[in-house]
């Protein structure tokens, strides 16, 4: 029995209209952080404070926040890779068929992150790998930054001399997270459309990690570079060729404010089905769903599954010219800035559907609820993986894979079962 | 001498060109253009338009216009006083004049300048990314927007038309005032029988709620069989129910008889090298229109560079004209024949609308074909079979005039209240639907739906479905439309 039926009181430290309009349209009441609030859409800095040992405080049952306390296990580039590597090793140890490797020692089903090393810690390991293929290109990314900041490409060891020095100097070298980088093998054969490189931005909502329950937003989009792609070494430092971040591309000469260089995932699907065929397209999308679920499973054991929390991640995926998807990174705070009119509509609906799932009926939440929303409120989300349902060996699901643009994820079937039903995919 | 109506205008044009080329005016114009290169006001960066301006301000353009008009006046009008309306294949004098007007402009644009070698090399390198490198376009304006073209069509009159011959037409309240024969609903139902409610259709009967065993699976299987047997006629029949996305590219190629042989690829490469070697003034229009149209489009911006490639090549392709002369019963009358080369006019196909319509008819094809030479051939074939009819004036049942009339007739016959209402508020339905039809709905429908529509164009070898769809849209929105009070609101 509710003691107080009232309007949800909300706070945010992210001043974005797509958020605020959604709160207001529900008739929720804005309050300040130090007042009694029910719903707080926080920046990642704030979540750190809320759950920090020194400054943190306990949340009450009627309070919900939009981040998990240690989301960085998934959303920091180095920790994501670390967790996935750990997860793979564990599966290997327990003899799981998921961890099967091919004759070259590569994981068949779990090779979805490019070879990555932490710098400066793994510098020597990196050098060893680099020397195996000295003509390769690598991409350097600062661990704690976003929006493409500080990213650069290298193809010579000399270009990262600094990290060599750091690794060789005394072990007291401060490795503040600001200085830490990851270096990954650059995917220099991205799938090109119209000659341009693009990546995929997909939104994934996680309401609980244990049991894992996650939803995929059907309306993702592709972000195109404004400049034709070339792997030529003379253009390695042209970020307009290589980095798809809107924050970067919007400064290019050819950036267009009407479409913002964005394509819907349905366009992508239409294009791929028309030019490559249905089977390979379905396989691609199945694999994309697969790698998202695997990444979540990888971090699930180490996540603080605080019941006050949900999170909407921005997944960045790149497809190579063999139609293999690669997980590039996961964003805890996907941009809510709208670069175009369509963008605004999409993000508005995204938040709307997210709130409908996270805050049932728009009423004052009770964090003890079972986090199982009815199908009708999903909006543009669809269930990506539901561990509980999977384990209860659900009834016959629709196993058919369909063409059509209205949902991009019709190949959703086998994922709903918790067992690796790999034989249907691979 | 009286001209043979079936080849009237093209012959006229060809003769004019021939005569002008041999005239002193021609060599004078050429000399003027080259001499002007030395003038200070002619800048390298804006070469083409500076020369154009110069020719205009120095009066040479007018001389050219006059020359064309006087040549035209020397040929008697090919009108047959006794010809009954249904035999009218010849564009009317008014149509011809309208065509000539825009035609002159394009003639000027066809002045051909050879690019300097360094520019050639640069363009060759940049062939694949012209979207990021185009000349200053601010002074070029499109010649005809769809509404201008509509004005031309509205003013078409057959001077031989006698009201008594088609009593039903007397009551026609639409914008089109030429009494062409169009089909009625019973005839359409018969012609388009595969679109009946009892026949499965892709785009409807394959939606998520429908079990695929019902229709989809079998339809796909049949499609695969048709492709395996490479049966063009069967393919054409098959696509009437829509193409599965994965089979569409091959089915269309089969119907259009495009096989992308080595000689086809070579032909395309030759066109491409011609683009690189020779600059046409009209190229600037192409750049501008692609930028205006495709670059701003949510679906097609990705293919911007392909569009340049296809259109620049197309504007130099003589084989298109040969196709018309050989195979079409009513060849479009407004084309120049010319040979490619440094000194002569390049071939150009002046549409009666601006390039947007071209662009929008290539763009959706980019979703199907990513190999430039195949994309080019498919587009060219679609153009010579179908799309040209949307840009030229003729009495053909798939011509734009007939489509407009079909649309208006359907609407006036079956939704008379709506028709009168819209007319009353100054929103003649054709004013709204014209741009949809003239662009075959490209830019107005999501690409997956557009492709399903074009499946039927190919399947029925007719553009009539565009008029039917346009009327259906009005029928679908009839309730809302009855309440609007202005054209803007109706739009």
């Amino acid at each position: 029995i509710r003691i107080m039926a009232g309007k949800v009181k909300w706070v945010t430290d992210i001043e974005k209209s797509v958020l605020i309009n959604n709160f207001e349209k529900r008739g929720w009441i804005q309050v300040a952080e130090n007042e009694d609030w029910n719903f707080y859409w926080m920046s990642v800095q704030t979540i750190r404070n809320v759950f920090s040992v020194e400054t943190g405080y306990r949340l009450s049952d009627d309070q919900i926040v939009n981040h998990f306390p240690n989301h960085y296990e998934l959303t920091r580039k180095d920790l994501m890779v670390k967790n996935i590597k750990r997860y793979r090793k564990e599966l290997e140890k327990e003899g799981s068929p998921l961890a099967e490797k091919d004759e070259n020692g590569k994981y068949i089903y779990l090779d979805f992150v490019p070879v990555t090393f932490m710098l400066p810690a793994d510098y020597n390991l990196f050098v060893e790998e680099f020397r195996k293929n000295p003509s390769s290109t690598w991409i350097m990314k600062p661990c704690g930054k976003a929006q493409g900041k500080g990213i650069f490409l290298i193809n010579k060891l000399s270009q990262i001399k600094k990290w060599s020095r750091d690794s060789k100097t005394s072990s007291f070298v401060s490795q503040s997270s600001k200085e830490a980088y990851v270096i990954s093998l650059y995917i220099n054969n991205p799938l090109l459309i119209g000659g341009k490189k693009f990546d995929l931005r997909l939104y994934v909502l996680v309401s609980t990690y244990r049991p894992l329950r996650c939803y995929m937003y059907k309306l993702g989009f592709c972000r195109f570079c404004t400049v034709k792609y070339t792997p030529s070494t003379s253009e390695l430092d042209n970020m307009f060729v290589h980095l798809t971040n809107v924050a970067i591309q919007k400064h290019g000469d050819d950036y267009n404010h009407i479409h913002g260089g964005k394509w819907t995932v349905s366009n992508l699907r239409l294009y791929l089905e028309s030019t490559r065929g249905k089977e390979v397209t379905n396989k691609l999308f199945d694999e994309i769903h697969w790698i998202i679920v695997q990444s979540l499973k990888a971090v699930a054991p180490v996540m603080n599954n605080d019941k006050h929390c949900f999170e909407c991640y921005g997944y960045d995926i790149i497809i190579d010219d063999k139609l293999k998807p690669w997980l590039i990174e996961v964003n805890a705070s996907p941009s809510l800035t709208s670069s175009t009119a369509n963008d605004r509509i999409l993000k508005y609906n995204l938040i709307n559907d997210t709130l409908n799932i996270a805050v049932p009926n728009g009423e004052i939440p009770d964090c003890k609820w079972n986090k199982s929303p009815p199908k009708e409120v999903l909006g543009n989300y669809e269930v990506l993986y539901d561990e509980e349902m999977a384990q209860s060996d659900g009834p016959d699901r629709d196993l058919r894979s369909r063409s059509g643009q209205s949902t991009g994820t019709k190949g959703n079937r086998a994922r709903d079962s918790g067992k690796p039903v790999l034989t249907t995919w691979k | 001498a009286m001209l043979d109506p079936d080849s009237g205008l093209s012959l006229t044009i060809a003769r004019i060109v021939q005569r002008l080329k041999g005239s002193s005016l021609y060599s004078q114009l050429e000399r003027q253009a080259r001499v002007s290169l030395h003038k200070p006001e002619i800048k390298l960066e804006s070469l083409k338009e500076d020369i154009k301006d110069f020719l205009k301000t120095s009066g040479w353009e007018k001389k050219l216009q006059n020359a064309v008009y006087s040549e035209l006046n020397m040929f008697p009008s090919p009108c047959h006083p006794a010809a009954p309306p249904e035999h009218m294949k010849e564009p009317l004098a008014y149509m011809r004049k309208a065509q000539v007007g825009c035609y002159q402009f394009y003639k000027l644009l066809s002045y051909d300048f050879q690019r300097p070698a360094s520019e050639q090399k640069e363009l060759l390198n940049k062939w694949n990314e012209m979207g990021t490198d185009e000349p200053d376009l601010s002074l070029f304006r499109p010649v005809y927007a769809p509404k201008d073209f509509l004005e031309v069509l509205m003013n078409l009159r057959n001077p031989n038309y006698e009201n008594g011959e088609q009593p039903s037409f007397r009551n026609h309240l639409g914008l089109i005032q030429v009494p062409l024969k169009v089909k009625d609903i019973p005839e359409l139902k018969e012609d388009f029988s595969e679109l009946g409610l009892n026949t499965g259709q892709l785009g409807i009967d394959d939606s998520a709620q429908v079990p695929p065993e019902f229709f989809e699976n079998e339809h796909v299987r049949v499609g695969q069989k048709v492709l395996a047997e490479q049966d063009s006629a069967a393919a054409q029949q098959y696509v009437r129910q829509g193409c599965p996305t994965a089979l569409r590219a091959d089915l269309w190629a089969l119907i259009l008889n495009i096989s992308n042989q080595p000689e086809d690829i070579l032909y395309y490469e030759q066109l491409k090298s011609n683009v690189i070697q020779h600059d046409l003034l009209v190229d600037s229009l192409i750049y501008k229109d692609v930028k205006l149209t495709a670059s701003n489009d949510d679906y097609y911006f990705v293919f911007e560079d392909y569009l340049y490639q296809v259109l620049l090549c197309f504007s130099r392709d003589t084989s298109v004209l040969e196709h018309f002369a050989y195979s079409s019963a009513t060849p479009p009358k407004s084309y120049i024949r010319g040979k490619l080369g440094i000194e002569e006019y390049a071939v150009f196909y002046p549409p009666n609308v601006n390039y947007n319509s071209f662009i929008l008819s290539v763009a959706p094809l980019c979703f199907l074909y990513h190999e430039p030479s195949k994309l080019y051939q498919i587009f060219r074939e679609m153009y010579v079979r179908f799309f040209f009819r949307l840009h030229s004036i003729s009495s053909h049942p798939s011509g734009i005039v007939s489509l407009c009339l079909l649309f208006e007739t359907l609407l006036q016959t079956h939704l008379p209240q709506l028709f009168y209402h819209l007319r009353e508020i100054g929103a003649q339905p054709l004013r709204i639907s014209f741009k949809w039809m003239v662009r075959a709905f490209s830019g107005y429908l999501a690409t997956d739906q557009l492709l399903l529509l074009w499946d039927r164009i190919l399947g029925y070898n007719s553009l009539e479905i565009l008029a039917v769809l346009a009327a259906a849209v009005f029928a679908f929105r009839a309730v809302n439309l009855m309440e609007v009070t202005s054209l803007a609101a109706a739009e």
Side-chain angles (χ1 to χ4, degrees), chain A residues 134-147:
Chain A
S135 60
S136 53
T137 306
W138 294 75
I139 181 163
M140 282 281 284
K141 301 192 244 193
C143 287
K145 295 218 183 105
Q147 302 196 325

Side-chain angles (χ1 to χ4, degrees), chain B residues 251-425:
Chain B
L251 283 165
W252 284 20
L254 181 55
I255 296 171
L256 297 170
N257 212 22
I258 304 288
S259 51
N260 211 24
Q261 297 298 314
E263 56 263 23
D264 302 317
I265 301 176
L266 188 62
Y267 186 77
Y268 174 74
E269 290 297 321
Q270 281 174 344
L271 286 175
K272 179 174 150 182
S273 78
N274 205 296
V275 173
I276 289 170
Q277 284 163 27
H278 300 279
D279 191 7
L280 296 185
L281 285 176
V282 75
D283 292 352
S284 305
L285 270 192
I286 295 175
Y287 282 129
K288 182 177 179 85
D289 280 343
V290 171
K291 266 288 182 251
L292 279 178
T293 316
S295 310
N296 288 332
D297 186 287
D298 288 343
Y299 293 95
Y300 305 130
F301 74 87
V302 172
F303 304 115
E304 188 184 325
D305 295 328
Y306 281 13
L307 297 175
Y308 290 122
Q309 294 174 25
V310 168
L311 291 170
L312 290 176
C313 287
F314 187 70
S315 63
R316 290 156 170 81
D317 193 339
T318 50
S319 72
V320 179
L321 191 65
E322 283 160 11
H323 170 101
F324 284 131
Y326 178 73
S327 66
S328 176
T330 42
K333 317 284 191 190
S334 57
Y335 303 147
I336 308 176
R337 174 145 214 166
K339 292 202 223 27
L340 285 170
I342 299 170
E343 306 298 318
E344 296 164 287
Y345 295 121
V347 175
F348 182 73
Y349 305 98
N352 285 313
V353 293
N354 62 9
Y355 260 106
N356 286 353
S357 304
F358 270 119
I359 294 162
L360 289 172
S361 48
V362 187
L365 303 174
C366 296
F367 271 86
L368 302 176
Y369 306 98
H370 56 267
E371 204 266 293
S373 105
K374 191 150 188 198
L375 172 65
Y376 180 77
Q377 288 170 66
I378 295 277
F379 164 66
R380 182 178 62 182
E381 196 59 30
M382 291 285 281
Y383 181 77
V384 302
R385 283 202 201 190
F386 304 112
F387 295 139
F388 83 92
R389 298 198 191 279
L390 298 171
H391 306 156
S392 56
I393 299 172
S394 78
S395 61
H396 193 276
S398 275
I400 187 67
V401 186
S402 300
L403 296 183
C404 289
L405 189 56
L406 176 58
F407 164 76
E408 289 190 315
T409 309
L410 282 173
L411 212 57
Q412 190 179 342
T413 309
H414 298 281
L415 291 163
Q417 260 197 313
L418 176 63
F419 192 93
Y420 297 141
H421 169 69
L422 290 172
R423 209 168 147 264
E424 284 302 298
I425 64 170

Side-chain angles (χ1 to χ4, degrees), chain A residues 228 256 259 273 342 402 405, chain B residues 128 210 245 295-296 298 448:
Chain A
K228 213 108 187 160
N256 180 293
H259 51 69
E273 277 187 19
N342 282 341
R402 294 175 170 285
Q405 290 187 275
Chain B
N128 287 324
V210 180
T245 36
S295 310
N296 288 332
D298 288 343
D448 62 327

Side-chain angles (χ1 to χ4, degrees), chain A residues 311-418:
Chain A
E311 203 153 21
C312 177
Y313 298 106
Y315 268 76
D316 293 345
I317 308 259
I318 284 194
I319 304 169
D320 72 17
D321 61 10
K322 315 251 182 318
L323 288 199
K324 181 183 162 71
W326 295 93
L327 175 58
I328 300 302
E329 66 167 331
V330 185
N331 293 281
S333 265
S335 161
L336 296 178
T337 312
S338 311
S339 55
T340 67
N342 282 341
D343 214 34
R344 187 183 324 279
I345 296 169
L346 183 142
K347 287 174 181 165
Y348 177 86
N349 288 330
L350 173 70
I351 301 298
N352 185 47
D353 293 340
T354 304
L355 293 179
N356 283 344
I357 294 177
V359 187
N361 299 320
E363 288 166 354
I364 293 182
D366 176 1
C367 70
K368 294 209 195 68
W369 80 294
N370 67 358
K371 303 209 203 283
S372 261
K375 215 161 154 250
E376 303 80 59
V377 312
L378 294 185
N380 287 312
Y381 275 110
E382 52 186 15
V383 177
L384 179 58
Y385 184 72
D386 187 328
E387 191 168 2
E388 235 171 23
M389 280 222 290
Q391 277 164 357
S392 70
D393 232 356
D396 263 340
R397 253 170 218 96
D398 179 2
L399 296 181
R400 292 164 296 217
S401 178
R402 294 175 170 285
S403 67
Q405 290 187 275
S406 46
T407 79
T409 57
K410 285 187 173 160
N412 216 357
R413 45 210 204 278
R415 244 157 333 308
D416 289 346
S417 74

Side-chain angles (χ1 to χ4, degrees), chain A residues 57-90:
Chain A
Y57 50 92
R58 274 198 69 200
L59 294 175
S60 50
D61 282 358
D62 61 354
Q63 291 186 308
I64 296 203
V65 297
N66 65 317
H67 290 293
F68 286 92
N70 58 341
H71 62 82
Y72 41 79
E73 295 286 351
L74 179 64
T75 59
R76 254 184 70 114
K77 300 171 180 57
D78 52 348
L79 295 180
M80 179 190 85
V81 173
K82 215 189 271 186
N83 280 310
I84 289 173
K85 284 182 179 176
R86 187 208 79 245
Y87 171 69
R88 295 197 294 217
K89 284 244 156 10
E90 279 167 7

